[in-house]
Amino acid sequence: MIVKHLEEIVGTVDDIDTPTWSSRRLLLKQDGMGFSLHDTIIKAGTETFIWYKNHLEAVYCIEGEGEIEVIGGETYQIKPGMIYALSGNEKHYLRARSQMRMVCVFNPPLTGREIHDEEGVYPLLEG
Ligand code: 9YT
């Protein structure tokens, strides 16, 4: 059994900060669960272009408001309680009107290697 607390992750190598988001990785591949689980902050006023070409991601918003624009598709409003799942590796823009807190699950799990090359994640603008 694995037991952790967010407080143990903040400020460590598993707390990744970028100009538009920060991600506290609660569970990673090495935890052996078959998925990774992240508590992510999307910074207010930012826009991020994201393409997880090698991963499926589900995102559950628990704080804040914004939108996700699927490139070539629809735009969906994000507010607490909204979940989206990138079941088709959709390229998208993620925009935060206010700071958003998202619980993210990745399949396959992130290993930590993706942190350094930001594979599939390309920040465009910061607000
Ligand atoms: C919602 C989202 O995709 N944010 C970008 C960060 C990513 N979820 C991560 O690495 O935790």
Side-chain angles (χ1 to χ4, degrees):
M1 182 171 169
I2 300 163
V3 178
K4 299 183 187 179
H5 192 284
L6 179 61
E7 289 174 357
E8 299 165 30
I9 306 295
V10 171
T12 72
V13 291
D14 293 332
D15 178 1
I16 306 304
D17 189 45
T18 80
T20 60
W21 52 264
S22 61
S23 178
R24 292 78 65 91
R25 276 71 190 267
L26 297 163
L27 291 171
L28 286 163
K29 182 179 181 184
Q30 46 269 39
D31 290 302
M33 296 295 291
F35 58 86
S36 59
L37 177 67
H38 314 171
D39 181 324
T40 301
I41 301 293
I42 312 298
K43 299 178 185 179
T46 63
E47 175 185 74
T48 310
F49 171 70
I50 296 174
W51 180 32
Y52 296 120
K53 58 184 174 182
N54 298 314
H55 300 83
L56 301 177
E57 185 197 30
V59 180
Y60 179 48
C61 176
I62 57 173
E63 291 176 15
E65 294 191 359
E67 66 181 23
I68 175 172
E69 177 185 347
V70 177
I71 294 176
E74 293 189 46
T75 298
Y76 302 91
Q77 299 305 304
I78 300 172
K79 62 181 183 179
M82 185 267 206
I83 181 176
Y84 64 86
L86 299 164
S87 55
N89 306 95
E90 289 88 348
K91 294 181 183 180
H92 60 282
Y93 289 101
L94 183 59
R95 303 185 184 101
R97 281 192 290 278
S98 59
Q99 176 176 292
M100 299 194 293
R101 188 173 178 198
M102 323 287 261
V103 178
C104 308
V105 175
F106 278 80
N107 171 27
L110 297 197
T111 62
R113 177 175 49 81
E114 295 88 342
I115 292 168
H116 301 296
D117 62 12
E118 295 189 344
E119 183 176 33
V121 183
Y122 306 104
L124 274 188
L125 302 172
E126 54 185 295

